[in-house]
Amino acid sequence: YICQRLAERGCTRAADVGCGAGRYDLLLLQKMPELHLLCIDRSVEMLRHLTEHLREAGIDRFQPVQTGVDELRLKDNSLDAVFTFNAIHHFDFPAFIRNASRALRTRGQIFIYTRTPEQNAKSVWGQYFPGFLDKEQRLYSQDQMRTWVEASGCVLSNVETFQFTRRATVARLLQQAHARHYSTLSLYETQEFAEALQTFERNIQSQCNSSDAVVWDDENVLLVIESQPSN
């Protein structure tokens, strides 16, 4: 979908803010051979993994940038697109939009891929991990994000919902939980987490089918934002 939105731009300069280890960046750079990408993250370790990951894939059209979103200063009128994937709940949303929109060239676009509280409740973690929804209070509702975009002077040009059927073994889900694969799990105290983990295992065991797998639907939303054209 993003590739289609940017197809007419040809050579595209963009930034991924909160890029992590580069899982989404690899896909973008593979699908868009004229994309040049700033990969921005606070974590030095994540950027190290990203650099190794992309170079192993033979990709050099990227520049890692180590900074937090609060300190981020993108050059004005320098980018065709700004992305953030599953990270916006860590940011001050209005400040991010202001910063990103200043960096956009004419007809530039901001793509925010995230999950709303309602979508989070449908995930395997929201359904079966005790306290998960109470702990995760950082996610923004679609109405909140729409209000902030409109207040910024930008235009929310489209909202797309994506649904994916997921399938995982109990062992895989427990491995992810033990590793605190989602940042929400880091919000639990040690004893609280141990007790919740035991209940989670019982809950997902009860949902297993004959192949010892749990099946659920994940849902995410993609906001496409355009800077307001000059008069």
Side-chain angles (χ1 to χ4, degrees), residues 47-63:
L47 291 175
R48 183 180 66 80
H49 286 302
L50 173 141
T51 300
E52 292 175 355
H53 193 45
L54 296 183
R55 285 179 177 167
E56 284 174 2
I59 293 171
D60 61 5
R61 291 173 284 112
F62 71 97
Q63 178 185 345

Side-chain angles (χ1 to χ4, degrees), residues 18-84:
C19 62
R23 182 161 59 101
Y24 291 96
D25 297 332
L26 175 61
L27 293 171
L28 287 169
L29 288 160
Q30 287 175 330
K31 296 288 186 181
M32 301 174 64
E34 294 185 273
L35 173 64
H36 298 263
L37 193 59
L38 295 175
C39 300
I40 300 166
D41 202 278
R42 183 185 295 276
S43 169
V44 173
E45 186 67 10
M46 286 292 103
L47 291 175
R48 183 180 66 80
H49 286 302
L50 173 141
T51 300
E52 292 175 355
H53 193 45
L54 296 183
R55 285 179 177 167
E56 284 174 2
I59 293 171
D60 61 5
R61 291 173 284 112
F62 71 97
Q63 178 185 345
V65 178
Q66 192 272 316
T67 187
V69 69
D70 294 337
E71 299 82 35
L72 178 61
R73 297 294 179 267
L74 296 169
K75 184 179 178 182
D76 289 358
N77 304 309
S78 63
L79 299 173
D80 301 293
V82 176
F83 312 116
T84 185

Side-chain angles (χ1 to χ4, degrees), residues 145-225:
M145 293 188 286
R146 182 184 299 274
T147 297
W148 285 327
V149 170
E150 291 173 352
S152 74
C154 295
V155 176
L156 182 59
S157 65
N158 206 15
V159 178
E160 288 286 328
T161 298
F162 296 91
Q163 187 177 71
F164 309 94
T165 297
R166 305 294 193 194
R167 181 186 185 91
T169 63
V170 173
R172 174 59 178 159
L173 290 170
L174 290 175
Q175 181 186 43
Q176 288 183 311
H178 276 288
R180 305 204 187 207
H181 182 70
Y182 293 93
S183 62
T184 310
L185 299 178
S186 67
L187 302 176
Y188 288 75
E189 299 294 338
T190 302
Q191 184 59 35
E192 180 187 25
F193 181 73
E195 293 172 0
L197 191 58
Q198 291 179 347
T199 304
F200 177 63
E201 182 171 7
R202 291 195 297 270
N203 289 344
I204 58 175
Q205 287 281 10
S206 70
Q207 297 299 315
C208 281
N209 57 28
S210 57
S211 63
D212 191 38
V214 182
V215 180
W216 73 98
D217 287 333
D218 266 349
E219 217 175 79
N220 291 80
V221 66
L222 177 69
L223 279 66
V224 183
I225 300 161

